Amino acid sequence: MSPIVYLNGEYLPLEEAKVSVMDRGFLFGDGVYEVIPVYQGKVFRAKEHLQRLERSLAETKLSVIQKEEDWIILFEEMIRRNSLETQDLSLYIQITRGAPEKRDLSIPVGISPTLFIMATPVIYAVEATEVKSIRAITLPDNRWTRCYIKSICLLPNVLLKQKALEQGVEDVVLVRDGYLTESSSANVFTVKDGVLYTPPKSDFILGGITRDLIVELGEQGAFDCREQEIPEMELLQADEVWITSSTREIMPVTEINGKLVGDGNIGPLWYHVTKHFQAYKAKLIAN
Ligand code: PDD
């Protein structure tokens, strides 16, 4: 059965959802997006994801649905129409500026934005023993300086990730002016002597909702987590390295630039923090 997607007020089978070639998302990448995990029908950190989406919209002078309740109604309807109430999935929400008559960089007045939502089933590695690790390379972060906006203009990210794939590894850790920023579509954490570090939020990273939850769990006393600039040298000397995102949760990185991270195994703090993260999820599912 074809997945049902939402497009501008309609629920449609995926192959029937069509957007104009004049849409500024298509022509200019003029739009923003959001990715929200849903665990067994429960939307994960909806408020935080919607706040981030609102910020992306405001920064790009876009406006669509105003009220949190109205978004939630849409999300729940998407889950229901796709019969995904008992599965884990990610909701992809994209808003572009819409389709004016003329191709012109100036922001047009009086056109409606295009709102698109799809639901994609995701298999999360719930069991620690099943968890895979990835390998990464470091690359200079050559993206723009407004990375806090979740823009659909992902060409730099696409090319950075492709460089990693061409070198036979799965992803990148980006470095700007000697300090770590993030990965191609995830935040980055390092561990040294039992302490967890992640770069502070800035214009150069996307403030990840997964990242923020880990910082919050640390603040509650579950472990020692510090938001601190991480020099590139410290990445190469770290005991553990992880990347985090809504679709990968907490993913260990066990090799960087061809060298093992620590002893090359998934480290003890990863197991500890993952336990707390999964417990948080289990509470959400149970409520
Ligand atoms: N990406 N940094 C970047 C550049 C990202 O694209 C993402 C997420 C993150 C992590 O944010 P969060 O924990 O809120 O998912 C950090 C999503 C998953 C994507 O583009 O598909």
Side-chain angles (χ1 to χ4, degrees):
M1 205 184 69
S2 173
I4 300 296
V5 301
Y6 174 91
L7 181 64
N8 296 332
E10 286 186 279
Y11 295 92
L12 303 162
L14 178 64
E15 59 280 3
E16 286 175 29
K18 301 277 192 300
V19 179
S20 165
V21 290
M22 292 306 288
D23 194 282
R24 289 170 61 100
F26 180 64
L27 292 178
F28 300 135
D30 184 358
V32 298
Y33 76 107
E34 190 54 56
V35 178
I36 310 183
V38 179
Y39 296 110
Q40 297 174 38
K42 301 281 171 64
V43 183
F44 183 74
R45 301 221 124 188
K47 191 158 127 280
E48 288 82 354
H49 278 280
L50 289 171
Q51 274 169 358
R52 184 172 69 186
L53 178 60
E54 268 316 311
R55 184 178 185 206
S56 295
L57 288 164
E59 291 283 338
T60 47
K61 303 178 197 305
L62 277 161
S63 174
V64 53
I65 292 167
Q66 308 302 325
K67 288 201 201 120
E68 191 181 315
E69 309 89 86
D70 295 336
W71 281 113
I72 302 291
I73 290 167
L74 275 185
F75 300 160
E76 288 179 348
E77 194 57 19
M78 279 293 292
I79 297 164
R80 197 184 65 77
R81 289 193 187 232
N82 284 288
S83 307
L84 290 170
E85 290 91 340
T86 57
Q87 286 186 47
D88 294 340
L89 62 113
S90 75
L91 286 168
Y92 176 85
I93 302 130
Q94 176 173 304
I95 300 106
T96 66
R97 205 171 303 276
E101 279 173 20
K102 259 178 51 198
R103 182 184 177 278
D104 179 353
L105 282 187
S106 325
I107 293 181
V109 278
I111 60 160
S112 307
T114 302
L115 171 56
F116 171 64
I117 307 177
M118 64 180 166
T120 309
V122 179
I123 314 266
Y124 288 100
V126 184
E127 294 289 311
T129 46
E130 288 175 13
V131 168
K132 296 202 171 54
S133 62
I134 62 161
R135 297 157 298 168
I137 51 170
T138 53
L139 284 178
D141 190 343
N142 56 10
R143 301 171 303 158
W144 69 336
T145 53
R146 298 181 72 189
C147 297
Y148 58 92
I149 300 174
K150 206 160 167 54
S151 158
I152 61 167
C153 300
L154 290 173
L155 185 58
N157 308 54
V158 166
L159 295 179
L160 288 162
K161 168 109 178 176
Q162 189 58 26
K163 227 178 207 171
L165 297 177
E166 284 165 7
Q167 293 197 23
V169 301
E170 290 76 28
D171 221 320
V172 293
V173 175
L174 301 174
V175 180
R176 191 187 283 266
D177 299 329
Y179 293 92
L180 308 190
T181 53
E182 55 183 344
S183 183
S184 65
S185 62
N187 291 112
V188 66
F189 286 78
T190 61
V191 176
K192 190 69 189 172
D193 299 329
V195 180
L196 184 56
Y197 297 91
T198 196
K201 285 200 221 174
S202 73
D203 291 356
F204 303 124
I205 69 168
L206 182 81
I209 308 302
T210 320
R211 168 204 181 278
D212 288 355
L213 175 58
I214 294 168
V215 170
E216 211 177 290
L217 292 171
E219 282 165 359
Q220 288 166 12
F223 43 85
D224 186 355
C225 177
R226 303 182 194 170
E227 293 176 272
Q228 204 167 293
E229 296 287 4
I230 307 170
E232 184 177 5
M233 274 308 291
E234 288 182 13
L235 174 77
L236 306 173
Q237 290 155 4
D239 300 327
E240 298 181 35
V241 177
W242 320 331
I243 60 168
T244 65
S245 80
S246 295
T247 46
R248 285 184 283 188
E249 297 187 332
I250 311 173
M251 173 67 75
V253 182
T254 46
E255 188 191 297
I256 293 188
N257 295 343
K259 298 209 177 74
L260 296 182
V261 175
D263 61 7
N265 292 311
I266 298 172
L269 202 61
W270 181 88
Y271 285 97
H272 182 68
V273 174
T274 293
K275 194 180 77 195
H276 283 276
F277 187 85
Q278 296 301 333
Y280 181 94
K281 267 173 58 181
K283 243 194 249 165
L284 172 84
I285 294 165
N287 278 329

